[in-house]
Amino acid sequence: MELETYFQEELEDHAETLAKSRATLQTPFMEMLAAWEKSILNGGKILFFGNGGSAADAQHLSAELVIRFISDRAPIAAIALNTDTSALTAGANDLGYDAVFARQVEALGKAGDVAVGLSTSGTSPNVVAALQMARQKGLVTCAMTGRDGGVMPKLADHTLIIPAHSTRRIQEMHITFGHMLCGALEKRLKLA
């Protein structure tokens, strides 16, 4: 394949995924935003977690909330559970990798907090286990996934399922919608 063709096809595929996401995700987006806002207004925090590219997105979104996104403002309580290498490696060694996020949710989460699991397939065992733990502890559960959603929508109070099968397209939309959630949360909290 010529690189010029690849260039055009990738951008066209991205544009199609964006158009499908725009057509289907406004209501679930607004519902997820409301859950985040309610938690923060009630003194809660947002716990993000994922693997690989989803871990990078979790870390990225947490930083946008804690530090700043659109403008200088008060911090918003958030943490990416996949950033604590000591907890991850001890948990993986002592409990098994499927438990690394659930254990942190058990330790750090409280009723009214929000747990946001990111997985392009919706079937990552450690993300699923963390959402199950979050449910048990009374956290509001949110899933950002793709394809057919996997098992995560059954465990989530609020779900954004990106209408795509390609991991890269799903991840592109996760960070897009994640950025939009951060910006909209600032606006709703009147911080921006």
Side-chain angles (χ1 to χ4, degrees):
M1 174 188 295
E2 299 266 340
L3 289 180
E4 293 80 3
T5 302
Y6 173 77
F7 178 88
Q8 294 299 331
E9 287 178 352
E10 284 294 296
L11 289 176
E12 184 58 34
D13 191 34
H14 175 84
E16 288 175 16
T17 303
L18 177 60
K20 290 177 186 174
S21 297
R22 175 183 279 172
T24 60
L25 295 180
Q26 183 173 346
T27 297
F29 172 90
M30 296 305 291
E31 291 169 350
M32 190 175 289
L33 172 62
W36 289 21
E37 177 188 20
K38 181 178 179 182
S39 177
I40 297 301
L41 287 175
N42 290 324
K45 62 189 166 297
I46 303 173
L47 307 174
F48 295 96
F49 44 92
N51 299 293
S54 296
D57 288 346
Q59 183 174 339
H60 184 146
L61 296 174
S62 175
E64 301 290 22
L65 294 179
V66 171
I67 305 303
R68 65 186 301 268
F69 183 62
I70 295 172
S71 62
D72 290 331
R73 42 102 175 133
I76 298 171
I79 186 169
L81 301 182
N82 45 269
T83 60
D84 185 340
T85 56
S86 294
L88 289 176
T89 55
N93 187 64
D94 298 350
L95 306 173
Y97 194 65
D98 290 357
V100 294
F101 300 140
R103 185 65 165 197
Q104 291 180 83
V105 168
E106 184 178 12
L108 302 172
K110 65 178 180 25
D113 286 346
V114 174
V116 182
L118 293 93
S119 168
T120 60
S121 68
T123 61
S124 301
N126 57 358
V127 175
V128 168
L131 289 174
Q132 290 169 330
M133 176 59 70
R135 273 255 166 108
Q136 289 174 24
K137 290 203 58 156
L139 280 73
V140 176
T141 53
C142 296
M144 296 176 72
T145 185
R147 301 184 180 109
D148 65 359
V151 299
M152 287 170 53
K154 295 176 188 159
L155 300 170
D157 300 308
H158 307 285
T159 305
L160 293 177
I161 302 174
I162 304 304
H165 293 280
S166 164
T167 297
R168 61 190 181 277
R169 295 294 94 86
I170 296 165
Q171 289 175 334
E172 289 162 4
M173 291 301 107
H174 281 176
I175 201 61
T176 298
F177 280 90
H179 274 163
M180 290 167 57
L181 283 161
C182 291
L185 184 61
E186 283 187 350
K187 292 178 182 302
R188 290 285 279 268
L189 297 174
K190 303 193 183 345
L191 297 173

